[in-house]
């Protein structure tokens, strides 16, 4: 962003090509050393960084992924060096540099420097006045006055009188004097101030030596290690001054014709006085820190005549949405108070190419300039009689369903146009026809919903409570589902009613086909609720007609659409089917819970207080899958089980998970598990799974978030549960650290004449230092889960609940179940005796294998032997009684203890 003197750049070296009295001044000039290179050489003091640091604050290039960004990213820095190599200041050089800035077209001159004198210097004053009145130059023909910005000074840290350069001005206030504030807006400890008229005009950030300094560009000198870092920290009114100078550049960039006085007034009159003097009340009475804190946005807005701002908010550009009747949201605003008034706003959806925009397309139309839509009253003009909406935001509901087509997806265009009251010749090149435009593309996609059973939720508003009568046709199940499923006979719908049943068995299902619904809860699909649906057709797609919910929080109700009043807003104690009311993923951790006492709690806190559980359960592949906070999220169109322990209100919030307010939720439960493994029960039509786990953060009793309850099943062929709390089984039971042994009771309930297979995926989640066994309490059969991968049983003519015991035991080499083969010997007749030691009572098999590995004789089968040293003898014959030839054989001992653990030992013999 360096200024370039084009005449000198294209001229001859050693020649004053532009005749300004300075030879080869391409980027500026060194007035202290009298040459055309304004970069310091042979630096010897830290202060040499000063000018580079100041320049970066004003106008370092921004949005380039490097270092720092200046206040104005696209300015030109005329580098005028007035300091000596030792870090001193040449007064004559300052005067000469100031005059150079006036003569060569500078818009703004920043002086982060100062000196003391008994009176304002007359030469300085004459240059300041000349600059304020300076007109254009060949390189800057639009200039109307040079803006002087000067640091108030650090040295005395007290009130400043009229003895420094910042005060060398007239009552016309040609110089903008700048004081410095710290990051909390209090006056920086070093900064001077002034009660004298026009001396201190404004305050700006300058850093503080004791807290946070200002980070900007540093001088880099090749080969000098002390000057090798391109960025660094400084603090002072020297930093506050270029901060302000950069803002002045922004103001003039909006309207280059602004005079120096107009730029100054825009800066001062739009500064933030309440913020500055709220932090510095002792200085307010005399405005000793200026008019206020510099505010770039306010100052730029005050002078702007830019085109209206148009923002299409929803659907986002490129978005894929699931509703064919979306709400279109866009905002239109004037960029500043000086900008022309808006006269027309139009919205078109999928406009024909080349079709002109007219008043008939207007959402808002002001034909007489009074700032109000003045069309006749009509339902077609929802903003009739109103000014532009607050924040310029318009909301328009699409009434007719947008087409999707056979492909299940369609592209649509939103076009928003604005006209304003400027004269035709004043319109910018971007709007030569006087119309400012913005467009956005979005795609409407059908919802894929497979056949079979699932929990479903609707993340769109399908009825409008603001109108009477309510229009329910698009919200009834037969309308939503039968479009793809062949009519009302194509499916079933059900919901859980926590208020049904009795105290011993609370809750019950209410069911219906899609067309015969007489329960108000399931007769209208509403956001925040979830429903069981069972659909029988192939691979259907749903075209949803509804409006996205944009509320900052949404009340999840467990009452029918036509139930109103405070009582209907509460969730009763028990299980609830809920869904996301938003058409994007939301975090359960961000939800809020309101108690009956009116206390509003973050969900994690409500979990700790025992108001709700912190888990969600979704249905997939015939079974439930659980997740807990902070990971638990709700996806649109999915349904979930959620449990309340007290009567309360539940609010969905479209925000990221908060992990700091609830303690236990700040850490992932799954991350704290030392180990876990699952047992799966499967029938021909249903799967059900339970998990057993250990965690140093858990106890052997019930632990919230660790232990997960069993939601109400829906016609399951098999249901598996483990452990229990308050008479209800769990789907995950987490114990504390298992030092020796832990036992779980697992129950499998199945329908009559069902073949049930229990499996456990080879215990991959259980460390090798543990064994696990499963015992069927009905038959007494036990097996080692390390050695067997499944267990099968069949129910009789009635439903059956089978009890199983799962034991996890820590083992080591000294206590593990083993078969130790001590020796094997043969006698003269060819008989072989093997001696071995059992570490536990066991049923023992002894098999003889030939050299090819084929079994030739079973010496023992299921023989019960006590722990200790034992022996078995093979007579050298086959199972058929024939003598076997001499050669190499292998005897294998297989032992199984009462926990189902299996151990083996082998030995080779020659006979």
């Amino acid at each position: 962003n360096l200024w370039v003197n084009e005449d000198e750049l294209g001229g001859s070296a050693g020649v004053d090509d532009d005749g300004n009295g300075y030879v080869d001044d391409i980027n500026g000039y060194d007035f202290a050393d009298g040459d055309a290179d304004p970069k310091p050489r042979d630096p010897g003091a830290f202060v040499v960084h000063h000018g580079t640091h100041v320049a970066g604050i004003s106008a370092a290039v921004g949005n380039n992924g490097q270092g720092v960004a200046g206040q104005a990213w696209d300015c030109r820095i005329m580098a005028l060096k007035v300091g000596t190599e030792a870090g001193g200041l040449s007064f004559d050089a300052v005067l000469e540099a100031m005059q150079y800035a006036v003569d060569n077209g500078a818009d703004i001159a920043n002086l982060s420097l100062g000196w003391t004198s008994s009176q304002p210097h007359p030469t300085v004053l004459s240059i300041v006045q000349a600059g304020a009145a300076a007109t254009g130059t060949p390189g800057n023909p639009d200039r109307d006055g040079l803006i002087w910005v000067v640091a108030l000074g650090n040295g005395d840290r007290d009130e400043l009188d009229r003895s420094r350069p910042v005060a060398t001005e007239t009552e016309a206030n040609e110089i903008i004097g700048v004081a410095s504030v710290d990051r909390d807006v209090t006056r920086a400890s070093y900064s001077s101030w002034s009660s004298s008229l026009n001396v201190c005009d404004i305050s700006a950030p300058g850093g503080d030596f004791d807290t946070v300094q200002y980070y900007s560009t540093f001088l880099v000198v090749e080969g000098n290690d002390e000057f090798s870092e391109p960025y660094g920290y400084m603090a002072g009114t020297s930093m506050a001054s270029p901060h302000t100078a950069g803002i002045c550049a922004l103001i003039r960039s909006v309207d280059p014709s602004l005079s120096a006085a107009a730029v100054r007034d825009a800066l001062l009159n739009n500064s933030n006085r309440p913020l500055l003097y709220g932090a510095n009340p002792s200085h307010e009475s005399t405005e000793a820190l200026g008019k206020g804190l510099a505010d770039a946005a306010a100052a730029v807005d005050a002078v702007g005549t830019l085109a209206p701002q148009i923002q299409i908010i929803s659907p986002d550009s490129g978005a894929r949405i699931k509703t064919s009747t979306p709400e279109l949201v866009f905002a239109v605003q004037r960029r500043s108070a000086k900008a022309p008034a808006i006269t027309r706003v139009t919205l078109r959806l999928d406009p024909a190419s080349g079709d002109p925009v007219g008043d008939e397309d207007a959402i808002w139309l002001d034909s007489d300039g009074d700032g109000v839509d003045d069309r006749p009253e009509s339902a077609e003009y929802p903003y009739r009689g109103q000014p532009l909406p607050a924040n310029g935001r318009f909301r328009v509901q699409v009434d007719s369903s947008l087409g999707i087509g056979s492909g299940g997806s369609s592209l649509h265009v939103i076009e928003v146009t604005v006209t304003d009251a400027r004269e035709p010749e004043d319109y910018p090149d971007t709007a030569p026809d006087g119309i400012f435009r913005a467009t956005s593309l979005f795609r409407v996609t059908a919802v894929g919903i497979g056949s079979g059973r699932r929990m479903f939720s609707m993340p769109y508003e399908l009825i409008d409570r603001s109108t009477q009568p309510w229009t329910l046709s698009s919200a009834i199940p037969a309308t939503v589902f039968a479009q793809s499923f062949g009519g009302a006979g194509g499916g079933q719908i059900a919901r859980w009613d926590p208020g049904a049943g009795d105290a011993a068995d609370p809750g019950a299902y209410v069911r219906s086909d899609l067309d015969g619904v007489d329960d108000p809860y399931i007769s209208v699909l509403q956001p925040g609720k979830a429903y069981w649906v069972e659909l029988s057709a192939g691979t259907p797609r749903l075209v949803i007609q509804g409006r996205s919910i944009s509320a900052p929080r949404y009340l999840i109700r467990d009452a029918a659409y036509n139930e109103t009043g405070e009582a209907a807003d509460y969730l009763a104690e028990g299980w609830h089917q809920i869904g996301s009311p938003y058409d994007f993923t939301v975090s359960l951790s961000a939800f809020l819970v309101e108690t009956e006492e009116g206390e509003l709690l973050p969900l994690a806190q409500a979990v700790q207080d025992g108001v709700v559980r912190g888990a969600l359960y979704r249905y997939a592949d015939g079974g439930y899958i659980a997740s807990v906070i902070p990971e638990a999220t709700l996806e649109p169109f999915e349904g979930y089980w959620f449990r309340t322990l007290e009567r309360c209100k539940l609010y969905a919030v479209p925000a990221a998970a908060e992990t700091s307010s609830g303690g236990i939720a700040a850490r992932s439960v799954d991350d704290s598990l030392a180990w876990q493994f699952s047992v799966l029960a499967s029938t021909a039509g249903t799967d059900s799974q339970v998990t057993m786990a250990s965690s140093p953060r858990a106890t052997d009793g019930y632990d919230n978030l660790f232990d997960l309850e069993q939601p109400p099943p829906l016609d399951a062929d098999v249901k598996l549960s483990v452990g229990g709390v308050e008479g209800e089984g769990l789907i995950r039971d987490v114990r504390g650290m298992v030092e020796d042994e832990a036992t779980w009771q697992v129950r499998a309930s199945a329908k009559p004449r069902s073949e049930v297979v229990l499996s456990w995926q080879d215990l991959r989640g259980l460390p090798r230092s543990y064994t696990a066994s499963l015992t069927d309490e009905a038959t007494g059969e036990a097996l080692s889960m390390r050695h067997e991968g499944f267990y099968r049983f069949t129910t009789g003519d009635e439903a059956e609940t089978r009890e199983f015991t799962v034991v996890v035991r820590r083992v080591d080499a000294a206590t593990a179940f083993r078969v130790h083969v001590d020796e094997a010997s043969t006698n003269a007749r060819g008989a072989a005796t093997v001696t071995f030691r059992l570490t536990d009572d066991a049923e023992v098999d002894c098999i003889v294998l030939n050299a090819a590995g084929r079994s030739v004789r079973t010496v023992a089968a299921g023989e019960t032997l006590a722990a200790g040293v034992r022996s078995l003898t093979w007579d050298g014959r086959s199972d058929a009684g024939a003598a076997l030839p001499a050669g190499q054989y292998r005897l294998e001992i297989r032992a199984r203890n009462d926990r189902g653990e299996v151990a083996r030992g082998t030995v080779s013999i020659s006979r």
Side-chain angles (χ1 to χ4, degrees), residues 378-398:
S378 169
E380 298 177 6
Y381 308 137
Y383 290 97
R384 188 261 177 261
Q386 299 180 31
L388 283 173
N391 300 321
R393 182 166 294 199
F394 290 84
R395 295 180 178 275
V396 178
Q397 179 64 47
V398 175

PDB file of all heavy atoms in Angstrom, residues 378-398:
ATOM      1  N   SER A 378     -55.146  -4.625   0.994  1.00  0.00           N
ATOM      2  CA  SER A 378     -55.376  -5.874   0.276  1.00  0.00           C
ATOM      3  C   SER A 378     -54.554  -6.964   0.920  1.00  0.00           C
ATOM      4  O   SER A 378     -53.477  -6.714   1.458  1.00  0.00           O
ATOM      5  CB  SER A 378     -54.974  -5.739  -1.203  1.00  0.00           C
ATOM      6  OG  SER A 378     -54.961  -7.010  -1.837  1.00  0.00           O
ATOM      7  N   ALA A 379     -55.081  -8.173   0.865  1.00  0.00           N
ATOM      8  CA  ALA A 379     -54.311  -9.304   1.391  1.00  0.00           C
ATOM      9  C   ALA A 379     -53.030  -9.517   0.607  1.00  0.00           C
ATOM     10  O   ALA A 379     -52.090 -10.133   1.094  1.00  0.00           O
ATOM     11  CB  ALA A 379     -55.174 -10.570   1.351  1.00  0.00           C
ATOM     12  N   GLU A 380     -52.972  -9.015  -0.616  1.00  0.00           N
ATOM     13  CA  GLU A 380     -51.784  -9.183  -1.434  1.00  0.00           C
ATOM     14  C   GLU A 380     -50.663  -8.254  -1.000  1.00  0.00           C
ATOM     15  O   GLU A 380     -49.529  -8.406  -1.431  1.00  0.00           O
ATOM     16  CB  GLU A 380     -52.117  -8.916  -2.902  1.00  0.00           C
ATOM     17  CG  GLU A 380     -53.153  -9.870  -3.479  1.00  0.00           C
ATOM     18  CD  GLU A 380     -53.490  -9.506  -4.901  1.00  0.00           C
ATOM     19  OE1 GLU A 380     -52.845  -8.593  -5.452  1.00  0.00           O
ATOM     20  OE2 GLU A 380     -54.411 -10.124  -5.467  1.00  0.00           O
ATOM     21  N   TYR A 381     -50.980  -7.256  -0.174  1.00  0.00           N
ATOM     22  CA  TYR A 381     -50.001  -6.269   0.259  1.00  0.00           C
ATOM     23  C   TYR A 381     -49.848  -6.342   1.777  1.00  0.00           C
ATOM     24  O   TYR A 381     -50.371  -5.491   2.515  1.00  0.00           O
ATOM     25  CB  TYR A 381     -50.430  -4.854  -0.150  1.00  0.00           C
ATOM     26  CG  TYR A 381     -50.782  -4.696  -1.609  1.00  0.00           C
ATOM     27  CD1 TYR A 381     -51.907  -3.966  -1.992  1.00  0.00           C
ATOM     28  CD2 TYR A 381     -49.989  -5.271  -2.602  1.00  0.00           C
ATOM     29  CE1 TYR A 381     -52.230  -3.810  -3.329  1.00  0.00           C
ATOM     30  CE2 TYR A 381     -50.318  -5.122  -3.944  1.00  0.00           C
ATOM     31  CZ  TYR A 381     -51.443  -4.396  -4.299  1.00  0.00           C
ATOM     32  OH  TYR A 381     -51.764  -4.250  -5.614  1.00  0.00           O
ATOM     33  N   PRO A 382     -49.128  -7.321   2.289  1.00  0.00           N
ATOM     34  CA  PRO A 382     -49.063  -7.494   3.757  1.00  0.00           C
ATOM     35  C   PRO A 382     -48.367  -6.354   4.471  1.00  0.00           C
ATOM     36  O   PRO A 382     -48.571  -6.166   5.671  1.00  0.00           O
ATOM     37  CB  PRO A 382     -48.276  -8.809   3.906  1.00  0.00           C
ATOM     38  CG  PRO A 382     -47.502  -8.949   2.632  1.00  0.00           C
ATOM     39  CD  PRO A 382     -48.363  -8.356   1.576  1.00  0.00           C
ATOM     40  N   TYR A 383     -47.548  -5.556   3.756  1.00  0.00           N
ATOM     41  CA  TYR A 383     -46.845  -4.454   4.397  1.00  0.00           C
ATOM     42  C   TYR A 383     -47.517  -3.111   4.091  1.00  0.00           C
ATOM     43  O   TYR A 383     -46.924  -2.061   4.323  1.00  0.00           O
ATOM     44  CB  TYR A 383     -45.380  -4.433   3.959  1.00  0.00           C
ATOM     45  CG  TYR A 383     -44.600  -5.601   4.520  1.00  0.00           C
ATOM     46  CD1 TYR A 383     -44.393  -6.747   3.772  1.00  0.00           C
ATOM     47  CD2 TYR A 383     -44.092  -5.554   5.818  1.00  0.00           C
ATOM     48  CE1 TYR A 383     -43.688  -7.836   4.293  1.00  0.00           C
ATOM     49  CE2 TYR A 383     -43.398  -6.625   6.347  1.00  0.00           C
ATOM     50  CZ  TYR A 383     -43.194  -7.766   5.579  1.00  0.00           C
ATOM     51  OH  TYR A 383     -42.507  -8.830   6.109  1.00  0.00           O
ATOM     52  N   ARG A 384     -48.749  -3.129   3.589  1.00  0.00           N
ATOM     53  CA  ARG A 384     -49.470  -1.902   3.280  1.00  0.00           C
ATOM     54  C   ARG A 384     -49.647  -1.066   4.550  1.00  0.00           C
ATOM     55  O   ARG A 384     -50.001  -1.557   5.625  1.00  0.00           O
ATOM     56  CB  ARG A 384     -50.850  -2.249   2.700  1.00  0.00           C
ATOM     57  CG  ARG A 384     -51.626  -1.036   2.153  1.00  0.00           C
ATOM     58  CD  ARG A 384     -52.642  -0.525   3.116  1.00  0.00           C
ATOM     59  NE  ARG A 384     -53.325   0.664   2.641  1.00  0.00           N
ATOM     60  CZ  ARG A 384     -53.012   1.902   3.008  1.00  0.00           C
ATOM     61  NH1 ARG A 384     -51.979   2.115   3.800  1.00  0.00           N
ATOM     62  NH2 ARG A 384     -53.713   2.922   2.584  1.00  0.00           N
ATOM     63  N   GLY A 385     -49.361   0.251   4.454  1.00  0.00           N
ATOM     64  CA  GLY A 385     -49.499   1.154   5.576  1.00  0.00           C
ATOM     65  C   GLY A 385     -48.352   1.103   6.566  1.00  0.00           C
ATOM     66  O   GLY A 385     -48.418   1.747   7.616  1.00  0.00           O
ATOM     67  N   GLN A 386     -47.299   0.358   6.245  1.00  0.00           N
ATOM     68  CA  GLN A 386     -46.188   0.205   7.179  1.00  0.00           C
ATOM     69  C   GLN A 386     -44.909   0.788   6.599  1.00  0.00           C
ATOM     70  O   GLN A 386     -44.699   0.766   5.381  1.00  0.00           O
ATOM     71  CB  GLN A 386     -45.953  -1.275   7.482  1.00  0.00           C
ATOM     72  CG  GLN A 386     -47.129  -1.971   8.126  1.00  0.00           C
ATOM     73  CD  GLN A 386     -46.834  -3.433   8.391  1.00  0.00           C
ATOM     74  OE1 GLN A 386     -45.695  -3.818   8.635  1.00  0.00           O
ATOM     75  NE2 GLN A 386     -47.865  -4.262   8.329  1.00  0.00           N
ATOM     76  N   PRO A 387     -44.028   1.294   7.462  1.00  0.00           N
ATOM     77  CA  PRO A 387     -42.686   1.662   6.994  1.00  0.00           C
ATOM     78  C   PRO A 387     -41.872   0.391   6.755  1.00  0.00           C
ATOM     79  O   PRO A 387     -42.359  -0.724   6.968  1.00  0.00           O
ATOM     80  CB  PRO A 387     -42.131   2.471   8.163  1.00  0.00           C
ATOM     81  CG  PRO A 387     -42.831   1.906   9.352  1.00  0.00           C
ATOM     82  CD  PRO A 387     -44.215   1.538   8.895  1.00  0.00           C
ATOM     83  N   LEU A 388     -40.651   0.581   6.294  1.00  0.00           N
ATOM     84  CA  LEU A 388     -39.780  -0.583   6.141  1.00  0.00           C
ATOM     85  C   LEU A 388     -39.697  -1.325   7.477  1.00  0.00           C
ATOM     86  O   LEU A 388     -39.616  -0.690   8.542  1.00  0.00           O
ATOM     87  CB  LEU A 388     -38.377  -0.163   5.704  1.00  0.00           C
ATOM     88  CG  LEU A 388     -38.191   0.208   4.231  1.00  0.00           C
ATOM     89  CD1 LEU A 388     -36.793   0.766   4.020  1.00  0.00           C
ATOM     90  CD2 LEU A 388     -38.415  -0.995   3.326  1.00  0.00           C
ATOM     91  N   PRO A 389     -39.727  -2.648   7.478  1.00  0.00           N
ATOM     92  CA  PRO A 389     -39.707  -3.397   8.750  1.00  0.00           C
ATOM     93  C   PRO A 389     -38.454  -3.100   9.555  1.00  0.00           C
ATOM     94  O   PRO A 389     -37.437  -2.631   9.033  1.00  0.00           O
ATOM     95  CB  PRO A 389     -39.727  -4.865   8.293  1.00  0.00           C
ATOM     96  CG  PRO A 389     -40.227  -4.838   6.889  1.00  0.00           C
ATOM     97  CD  PRO A 389     -39.788  -3.533   6.313  1.00  0.00           C
ATOM     98  N   ALA A 390     -38.532  -3.385  10.843  1.00  0.00           N
ATOM     99  CA  ALA A 390     -37.369  -3.226  11.715  1.00  0.00           C
ATOM    100  C   ALA A 390     -36.204  -4.033  11.156  1.00  0.00           C
ATOM    101  O   ALA A 390     -36.365  -5.181  10.750  1.00  0.00           O
ATOM    102  CB  ALA A 390     -37.718  -3.691  13.129  1.00  0.00           C
ATOM    103  N   ASN A 391     -35.030  -3.404  11.129  1.00  0.00           N
ATOM    104  CA  ASN A 391     -33.828  -4.018  10.554  1.00  0.00           C
ATOM    105  C   ASN A 391     -33.990  -4.340   9.080  1.00  0.00           C
ATOM    106  O   ASN A 391     -33.180  -5.077   8.523  1.00  0.00           O
ATOM    107  CB  ASN A 391     -33.440  -5.286  11.317  1.00  0.00           C
ATOM    108  CG  ASN A 391     -33.137  -5.015  12.768  1.00  0.00           C
ATOM    109  OD1 ASN A 391     -32.529  -4.001  13.090  1.00  0.00           O
ATOM    110  ND2 ASN A 391     -33.583  -5.893  13.651  1.00  0.00           N
ATOM    111  N   GLY A 392     -35.044  -3.784   8.437  1.00  0.00           N
ATOM    112  CA  GLY A 392     -35.238  -4.015   7.017  1.00  0.00           C
ATOM    113  C   GLY A 392     -35.619  -5.433   6.666  1.00  0.00           C
ATOM    114  O   GLY A 392     -35.571  -5.814   5.495  1.00  0.00           O
ATOM    115  N   ARG A 393     -36.026  -6.244   7.642  1.00  0.00           N
ATOM    116  CA  ARG A 393     -36.225  -7.678   7.397  1.00  0.00           C
ATOM    117  C   ARG A 393     -37.658  -7.966   6.956  1.00  0.00           C
ATOM    118  O   ARG A 393     -38.611  -7.626   7.643  1.00  0.00           O
ATOM    119  CB  ARG A 393     -35.877  -8.478   8.645  1.00  0.00           C
ATOM    120  CG  ARG A 393     -35.996  -9.982   8.472  1.00  0.00           C
ATOM    121  CD  ARG A 393     -35.326 -10.738   9.596  1.00  0.00           C
ATOM    122  NE  ARG A 393     -33.887 -10.547   9.600  1.00  0.00           N
ATOM    123  CZ  ARG A 393     -33.027 -11.358  10.218  1.00  0.00           C
ATOM    124  NH1 ARG A 393     -33.472 -12.413  10.887  1.00  0.00           N
ATOM    125  NH2 ARG A 393     -31.738 -11.131  10.181  1.00  0.00           N
ATOM    126  N   PHE A 394     -37.772  -8.626   5.816  1.00  0.00           N
ATOM    127  CA  PHE A 394     -39.062  -9.035   5.271  1.00  0.00           C
ATOM    128  C   PHE A 394     -39.198 -10.551   5.388  1.00  0.00           C
ATOM    129  O   PHE A 394     -38.229 -11.292   5.213  1.00  0.00           O
ATOM    130  CB  PHE A 394     -39.175  -8.653   3.788  1.00  0.00           C
ATOM    131  CG  PHE A 394     -39.303  -7.178   3.525  1.00  0.00           C
ATOM    132  CD1 PHE A 394     -38.177  -6.373   3.451  1.00  0.00           C
ATOM    133  CD2 PHE A 394     -40.548  -6.603   3.346  1.00  0.00           C
ATOM    134  CE1 PHE A 394     -38.281  -5.017   3.195  1.00  0.00           C
ATOM    135  CE2 PHE A 394     -40.668  -5.237   3.094  1.00  0.00           C
ATOM    136  CZ  PHE A 394     -39.536  -4.443   3.021  1.00  0.00           C
ATOM    137  N   ARG A 395     -40.427 -11.005   5.649  1.00  0.00           N
ATOM    138  CA  ARG A 395     -40.745 -12.429   5.692  1.00  0.00           C
ATOM    139  C   ARG A 395     -41.927 -12.676   4.758  1.00  0.00           C
ATOM    140  O   ARG A 395     -42.979 -12.055   4.922  1.00  0.00           O
ATOM    141  CB  ARG A 395     -41.098 -12.886   7.109  1.00  0.00           C
ATOM    142  CG  ARG A 395     -39.938 -12.785   8.082  1.00  0.00           C
ATOM    143  CD  ARG A 395     -40.354 -13.255   9.475  1.00  0.00           C
ATOM    144  NE  ARG A 395     -39.253 -13.219  10.408  1.00  0.00           N
ATOM    145  CZ  ARG A 395     -38.357 -14.195  10.567  1.00  0.00           C
ATOM    146  NH1 ARG A 395     -38.463 -15.300   9.843  1.00  0.00           N
ATOM    147  NH2 ARG A 395     -37.374 -14.084  11.433  1.00  0.00           N
ATOM    148  N   VAL A 396     -41.752 -13.598   3.836  1.00  0.00           N
ATOM    149  CA  VAL A 396     -42.806 -13.896   2.871  1.00  0.00           C
ATOM    150  C   VAL A 396     -42.980 -15.408   2.818  1.00  0.00           C
ATOM    151  O   VAL A 396     -42.019 -16.148   2.536  1.00  0.00           O
ATOM    152  CB  VAL A 396     -42.461 -13.348   1.471  1.00  0.00           C
ATOM    153  CG1 VAL A 396     -43.556 -13.709   0.487  1.00  0.00           C
ATOM    154  CG2 VAL A 396     -42.263 -11.835   1.535  1.00  0.00           C
ATOM    155  N   GLN A 397     -44.212 -15.870   3.093  1.00  0.00           N
ATOM    156  CA  GLN A 397     -44.499 -17.295   3.069  1.00  0.00           C
ATOM    157  C   GLN A 397     -44.923 -17.714   1.667  1.00  0.00           C
ATOM    158  O   GLN A 397     -45.829 -17.127   1.071  1.00  0.00           O
ATOM    159  CB  GLN A 397     -45.599 -17.635   4.066  1.00  0.00           C
ATOM    160  CG  GLN A 397     -45.996 -19.095   4.100  1.00  0.00           C
ATOM    161  CD  GLN A 397     -44.858 -19.993   4.561  1.00  0.00           C
ATOM    162  OE1 GLN A 397     -44.209 -19.702   5.549  1.00  0.00           O
ATOM    163  NE2 GLN A 397     -44.616 -21.060   3.824  1.00  0.00           N
ATOM    164  N   VAL A 398     -44.259 -18.750   1.117  1.00  0.00           N
ATOM    165  CA  VAL A 398     -44.666 -19.316  -0.170  1.00  0.00           C
ATOM    166  C   VAL A 398     -45.917 -20.146   0.069  1.00  0.00           C
ATOM    167  O   VAL A 398     -45.912 -21.085   0.879  1.00  0.00           O
ATOM    168  CB  VAL A 398     -43.544 -20.179  -0.775  1.00  0.00           C
ATOM    169  CG1 VAL A 398     -44.019 -20.851  -2.055  1.00  0.00           C
ATOM    170  CG2 VAL A 398     -42.312 -19.324  -1.052  1.00  0.00           C
TER     171      VAL A 398
END
